[in-house]
């Protein structure tokens, strides 16, 4: 990486930090304002990165100079905005950056000093896992299977042609699957000239998920311990730990969904301003352009937000509290007051102020802040109209982000969701209740799988027997992806399929209690908690009704797990809170049977948390295909072998074929491959010494209007997969050499 490239790599980080200063909320009663500022900064930076690719791609300027100029302008604008904001909000005596940093350091030191032993253990465990994930992400080369097939090849195609125009290919996913995460990779690819930092996109998304779910927990009434428990449950989940070191896209999608969630929950407390509407729309668009399945979670969240906004408009700002009518601050960005809550203040734990968020305003309506009589009906009608207009704006902004990609797909295939094979392979083709039930049970079985083989076999047999009893074939292709067969073991720590039984079980219990007894889980925000739980349950139900079961389905559920983590954290915190109350009663001689039962529940919860910590550590230590110790360790495995840990037998075959093609002096090289073959190694092996990408042209194409290249027009042909398919395309007189999975063909000597 050049010195200029190193400086450019720092540009996104500088932009996020500057925007976090510029966009930090001014209201003193905002829940977790620093985390909200980071969420806002991430959404703005992500939208800028995506729209930059779209704009420069349309101009055929996907080049390093163009990206460098664009980022320098953006960074200059964010730094200027941050400086303006600091000057505007500075105290009369002024404050410098050093003083600000000192204040942050003092605040963190105070929080650590006032934290209990358990809270320190939770924070230390999560922080340690995040740092280890960063180490692995930096040391390991990209070796995810799908990344070798289509995630990374599409980035190389964009660099080679300088535009986003579709190309002939045998792998339709290179052009039909939403490319939002790859857009972010493209920036790093141009800055560094390679893929050394590609894993950092998912790592950053993992950190973003932790920050967002902690804030969601605070918005739902959780204090510091509840927020740490939420981050702990999510951060120790093997799927999260493993994906945070890879070039998959599920964690990026989950991060954008979590941003929508925390922004939407703010809409239950105050009317949304234009800035919030733009952020909601941008986060929705980023979700759609990254992974369409994430919209299953975004849809119910936006509906909850809309209901909250309409409620505020309809009540004219009046929210009935525990003992009086209170003004909810129906004005745009007015005083923060709970809308869908049971009683008390939002975001504050029982028994004290949240050390993370500033205290909310008191419950008494303040003059000039929405106090007095309810607003007249005309004002309510205006509020409803403003909510409808705001909803339209959210949709329009989302379409601005994802629209260009959908337009290209529509123009290419006549449908914005791509060709029929894509629309029919993953979405459910049957929606009758028995089929949806069977699909949900199979998805749940795979998500909650454990190493206990008898349990796995017994529950799978019961599901299949029950399916047949209600007239559903458990292997029906209309509810099952491809030619896969249920069940499959998913407990092993593999980034593509690892189950999450502990986090899933905790989330299920938390969701059930949030629906049935929300006031016990969060006394200060019972209504908001129940509404959020309904959203999470709805998203999971919609997922089961819309997405076929598949062996890799657990990673598709990652966004739902992220949304559900706050429910687990809040329930665990309420359990420990009641346990402390029971200990106080015992000390006063008033122990009861319920206290003893609560002690058993606390013991089980602690055991599950310990198991979660162990699972997270083992996933990073022995997970696949990136691990710290054992065969394939990032410390002892060579770069090339790391790339092929999924298929080590292919490493020498690719290298030998590439060496022969390079020795022939070929420049225009034909590709022969099938839909799930690895293409990315060719982009690495056939690159020029100066890093210039090779001219790779497909000799097959699944795009009707983009015919493949003529084999006779190439200087050499490289093949993967089936020898017969390759042989049929090799021109007469050429020599075909085959080595198991990889082959190459060269013309006769001239």
């Amino acid at each position: 990486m050049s010195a200029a490239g190193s400086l450019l790599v720092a540009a996104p980080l500088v932009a996020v930090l500057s925007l976090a200063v510029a966009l930090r909320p001014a209201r003193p009663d905002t829940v977790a304002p620093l985390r909200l500022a980071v969420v806002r900064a991430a959404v703005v930076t992500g939208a800028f990165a995506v729209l930059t690719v779209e704009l420069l791609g349309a101009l055929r300027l996907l080049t390093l100079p163009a990206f460098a100029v664009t980022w320098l302008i953006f960074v200059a604008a964010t730094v200027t905005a941050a400086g303006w904001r600091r000057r505007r909000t500075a105290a009369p005596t002024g404050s410098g950056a050093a003083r600000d940093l000192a204040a942050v350091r003092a605040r963190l030191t105070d929080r650590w000093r006032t934290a209990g032993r358990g809270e320190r253990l939770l924070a230390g465990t999560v922080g340690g896992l995040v740092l280890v994930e960063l180490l692995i992400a930096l040391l390991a080369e990209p070796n995810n299977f799908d990344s070798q097939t289509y995630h990374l090849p599409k980035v190389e195609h964009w660099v080679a042609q300088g535009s986003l125009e579709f190309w002939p290919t045998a792998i339709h996913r290179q052009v039909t699957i939403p490319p939002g995460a790859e857009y972010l990779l493209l920036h790093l690819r141009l800055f560094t000239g390679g893929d050394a930092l590609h894993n950092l996109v998912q790592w950053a998304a993992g950190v973003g998920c932790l920050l967002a779910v902690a804030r969601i927990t605070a918005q739902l009434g959780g204090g510091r311990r509840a927020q740490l428990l939420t981050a702990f449950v999510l951060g120790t989940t093997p799927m999260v730990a493993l994906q945070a070191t890879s070039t998959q896209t599920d964690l990026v999608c989950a991060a954008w969904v979590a941003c929508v969630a925390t922004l939407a929950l703010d809409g239950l407390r105050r009317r949304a301003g234009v800035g919030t509407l733009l952020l909601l729309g941008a986060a929705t668009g980023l979700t759609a352009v990254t992974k369409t399945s994430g919209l299953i979670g975004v849809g119910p969240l936006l509906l909850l937000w809309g209901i909250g906004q309409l409620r505020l408009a309809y009540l004219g700002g009046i929210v009935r509290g525990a003992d009086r009518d209170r003004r909810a601050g129906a004005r745009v960005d007015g005083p923060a007051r709970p809308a869908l809550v049971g009683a008390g203040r939002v975001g504050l734990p029982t028994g004290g102020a949240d050390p993370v968020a500033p205290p909310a305003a008191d419950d008494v309506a303040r003059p000039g802040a929405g106090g007095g009589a309810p607003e007249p009906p005309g004002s309510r009608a205006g509020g409803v109209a403003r909510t409808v207009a705001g909803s339209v704006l959210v949709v329009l902004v989302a379409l601005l982000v994802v629209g260009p990609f959908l337009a290209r797909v529509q123009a290419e295939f006549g449908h914005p969701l791509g060709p029929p094979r894509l629309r029919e392979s993953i979405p459910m083709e049957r929606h009758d209740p028995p089929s949806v039930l069977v699909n949900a049970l199979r998805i749940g079985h795979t998500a909650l799988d454990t190493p206990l083989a008898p349990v796995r076999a017994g529950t799978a047999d019961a599901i299949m027997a029950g399916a047949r009893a209600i007239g559903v074939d458990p292997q029906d292709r209309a509810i099952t992806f491809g030619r896969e067969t249920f069940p499959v073991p998913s407990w092993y720590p593999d980034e593509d399929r690892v189950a999450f039984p502990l986090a899933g079980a905790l989330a299920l219990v938390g969701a059930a209690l949030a629906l049935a007894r929300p006031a016990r889980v969060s006394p200060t925000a019972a209504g908001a908690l129940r509404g959020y739980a309904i959203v999470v349950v709805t998203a999971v139900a919609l997922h089961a009704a819309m997405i076929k079961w598949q062996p890799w389905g657990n990673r598709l559920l990652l966004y739902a797990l992220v949304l559900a983590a706050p429910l687990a954290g809040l329930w665990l915190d309420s359990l420990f809170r009641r346990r402390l109350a029971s200990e106080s009663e015992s000390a006063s001689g008033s122990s009861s049977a319920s206290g003893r039962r609560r002690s058993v529940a606390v013991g089980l919860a602690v055991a599950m948390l310990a198991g979660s910590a162990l699972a997270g550590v083992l996933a990073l230590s022995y997970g696949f295909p990136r691990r710290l110790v054992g065969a394939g360790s990032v410390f002892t495995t060579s770069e090339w072998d790391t790339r092929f840990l999924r298929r080590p037998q292919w490493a020498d075959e690719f290298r030998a074929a590439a060496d022969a093609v390079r020795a022939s002096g070929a420049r225009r090289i034909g590709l022969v491959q099938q839909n799930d073959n690895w293409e990315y190694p060719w982009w690495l092996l056939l690159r020029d010494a100066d890093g210039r990408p090779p001219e790779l042209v497909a000799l097959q194409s699944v795009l009707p209007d983009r015919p493949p290249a003529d084999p006779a027009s190439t200087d050499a042909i490289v093949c993967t997969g089936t020898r017969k398919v390759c042989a049929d395309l090799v021109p007469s007189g050429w020599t075909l050499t085959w080595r198991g999975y990889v082959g190459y063909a060269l013309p006769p000597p001239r």
Side-chain angles (χ1 to χ4, degrees):
M1 189 191 327
S2 65
S6 301
L7 292 176
L8 289 172
V9 165
L13 178 59
V14 173
V16 169
L17 293 177
S18 300
L19 284 171
V21 174
L23 300 177
R24 181 160 183 167
R27 295 193 53 81
D29 56 350
T30 301
V31 176
L34 181 57
R35 275 169 279 171
L36 176 58
V38 173
V39 167
R40 290 173 172 178
V43 171
V44 172
T45 304
F48 165 79
V50 168
L51 293 176
T52 294
V53 173
E54 290 289 359
L55 176 61
L56 296 181
L59 299 175
R60 305 187 69 85
L61 286 175
L62 298 183
T63 62
L64 177 57
F67 273 63
V69 170
T70 306
W71 271 101
L72 290 176
I73 294 174
F74 183 64
V75 169
T78 61
V79 171
T80 301
W84 176 82
R85 175 64 185 275
R86 288 185 68 255
R87 288 191 300 271
R88 184 184 178 191
T89 59
T93 57
S95 61
R99 185 178 299 180
D100 292 343
L101 291 175
V104 172
R105 185 166 57 250
R107 187 186 309 171
L108 293 176
T109 301
D110 181 67
R111 290 177 184 174
W112 182 261
R113 181 180 55 81
T114 58
R117 183 179 303 174
E119 292 175 342
R120 292 182 180 182
L121 182 60
L122 292 172
T125 301
V126 174
L129 289 175
V130 168
L131 291 177
V132 173
E133 291 161 8
L134 175 60
L135 176 66
I136 297 175
L138 290 172
L139 292 179
E141 287 71 31
N143 59 1
N144 174 264
F145 195 103
D146 285 347
S147 295
Q148 307 279 7
T149 300
Y150 67 96
H151 289 312
L152 301 186
K154 70 170 67 172
V155 175
E156 296 300 324
H157 278 285
W158 294 333
V159 173
Q161 65 189 24
S163 74
L164 300 175
E165 183 180 359
F166 289 165
W167 54 89
T169 178
I171 304 174
H172 77 86
R173 291 176 293 175
Q174 290 184 358
V175 296
T176 57
I177 298 293
E182 292 88 341
Y183 282 174
L184 305 182
L185 293 178
L186 175 60
H187 293 264
L188 293 178
R189 167 65 176 84
L190 290 172
F191 293 164
T192 65
D195 58 17
L197 301 182
H198 278 9
N199 293 332
L200 292 185
V201 171
Q202 283 257 112
W203 178 83
V207 174
C209 286
L210 294 176
L211 294 176
V213 297
R215 182 171 191 266
I216 291 170
T217 305
Q219 291 171 287
L220 297 175
R224 178 167 58 190
R225 183 176 58 200
Q227 296 167 45
L228 289 173
L229 284 167
T230 298
F232 182 90
V233 169
L234 184 64
T236 57
T237 302
M239 176 67 77
V240 174
L242 291 170
Q243 287 234 359
T245 65
S246 93
T247 48
Q248 262 294 5
T249 62
D250 306 281
L251 207 51
V252 177
C253 173
W256 298 134
V257 174
C259 289
V260 174
T262 191
L263 293 170
L265 283 176
D266 280 339
L268 305 186
R269 308 173 65 239
R270 64 170 62 94
R271 297 304 306 275
V274 174
T276 299
L277 296 173
L278 294 175
L279 288 167
L280 270 174
T284 300
L286 288 169
T287 302
V289 81
T290 301
K291 212 173 190 69
T292 310
S293 57
L295 294 177
I296 298 175
V298 169
L301 285 168
L302 292 180
L303 181 60
L304 177 66
W305 171 84
I307 292 173
Q309 293 288 286
L310 288 174
R311 178 183 174 89
L312 290 170
Y314 176 75
L315 295 179
I318 292 294
V319 174
R320 188 169 298 277
D323 56 359
R324 69 178 71 88
D325 288 348
R326 300 178 302 185
R327 296 296 298 178
R331 301 178 308 167
V332 174
D333 288 334
R337 284 285 186 267
L340 302 177
V341 297
R345 293 179 289 178
V346 173
L348 300 180
T350 300
D354 183 356
V356 175
D362 59 40
D363 292 338
V364 179
R366 296 173 299 174
E375 297 180 10
S379 178
R380 296 177 183 176
V384 172
R386 188 164 60 245
T387 299
V388 174
S391 301
V392 173
L393 179 59
V394 169
V395 173
L396 291 177
V397 173
L399 288 176
L400 175 65
V401 176
V402 71
F405 168 71
L406 295 180
R408 288 194 298 275
V409 176
Q410 171 71 37
E412 192 72 34
F413 300 102
H415 196 288
L417 298 182
R421 65 182 301 179
L422 177 64
R423 302 198 304 271
E424 297 169 2
S425 61
I426 297 178
M428 287 274 285
E429 297 177 79
R430 291 182 56 179
H431 299 92
D432 54 290
S435 296
V436 172
L437 174 61
V438 171
N439 194 52
L441 291 174
R442 295 183 306 166
I443 290 174
H445 178 274
T446 304
L448 302 177
D449 191 20
T450 71
L452 304 175
V455 174
R456 180 190 314 122
T459 53
D461 290 343
I463 290 172
M464 291 190 289
R468 297 187 185 98
I470 60 177
V472 178
D473 178 4
Q475 314 299 348
D476 186 354
R477 297 301 101 189
I479 62 173
T480 306
F481 179 83
R483 295 187 294 272
E484 305 301 328
T485 302
F486 173 83
V488 295
S490 61
W491 62 269
Y492 184 79
D494 183 309
E495 67 172 355
D496 282 338
R497 65 174 63 189
V498 62
F500 32 85
L502 295 175
L506 292 172
L508 286 174
V509 174
L513 291 176
L515 291 173
R517 308 183 73 176
R520 293 196 64 183
V521 177
S522 178
T524 62
L529 175 61
R530 176 175 281 167
Y532 184 78
I534 291 173
V535 164
V536 174
V537 172
T538 300
V540 173
L542 289 174
H543 187 100
M546 298 174 68
I547 306 295
K548 293 178 180 177
W549 175 88
Q550 54 184 283
W552 315 277
N554 288 344
R555 61 183 182 82
L556 300 182
L557 268 175
L558 191 54
Y559 75 91
L561 178 66
V562 169
L563 290 181
L567 302 179
L570 286 164
W571 167 65
L572 289 169
D573 179 64
S574 69
L575 184 63
F576 294 141
R577 185 175 64 242
R578 292 196 300 274
R579 172 57 181 163
L580 292 175
S582 296
E583 290 179 352
S584 299
E585 293 176 0
S586 298
S588 62
S590 58
S591 60
S592 63
S594 63
R596 290 189 292 272
R597 289 194 299 270
R598 195 171 295 124
S599 297
V600 173
V602 168
L604 290 175
V606 171
M608 293 183 73
L609 290 175
S612 295
L614 179 62
V617 171
L618 291 178
L620 291 178
S621 301
Y622 298 99
F624 195 73
R626 291 165 302 281
R627 57 176 55 170
L628 288 175
V629 298
S633 167
V634 294
F635 297 114
T636 60
T637 308
S638 68
E639 172 190 344
W640 191 247
D641 290 336
T642 298
R643 295 182 184 277
F644 282 86
L645 282 175
R646 284 283 186 192
R647 297 292 186 271
Q649 67 275 19
W650 294 349
D652 291 339
E653 297 180 16
F654 269 99
R655 191 190 295 274
D659 288 344
V661 170
R662 288 173 63 90
S664 72
R667 279 301 307 161
R668 182 176 169 86
I669 303 165
L671 280 175
V672 178
Q673 54 196 0
Q674 285 79 61
N675 186 56
D676 207 30
N677 290 173
W678 286 17
E679 180 182 313
Y680 187 58
W682 298 125
W683 290 97
L684 298 175
L685 290 167
L686 299 175
R687 189 177 295 175
D688 287 346
D690 61 358
R692 192 157 51 98
E695 184 182 1
L696 295 179
V697 295
L699 303 185
Q700 312 137 287
S701 179
V702 294
L703 278 65
D705 297 330
R706 299 186 185 273
D710 182 359
S713 70
T714 63
D715 303 323
I717 296 174
V718 292
C719 311
T720 52
T722 304
R723 178 183 180 124
K724 181 181 183 307
V725 174
C726 183
D728 290 343
L729 290 170
V730 172
S732 177
W734 287 38
T735 301
L736 174 61
T737 303
W738 198 264
R739 298 184 49 157
Y741 176 77
V742 178
Y744 64 94
L746 298 174
R750 296 175 182 174

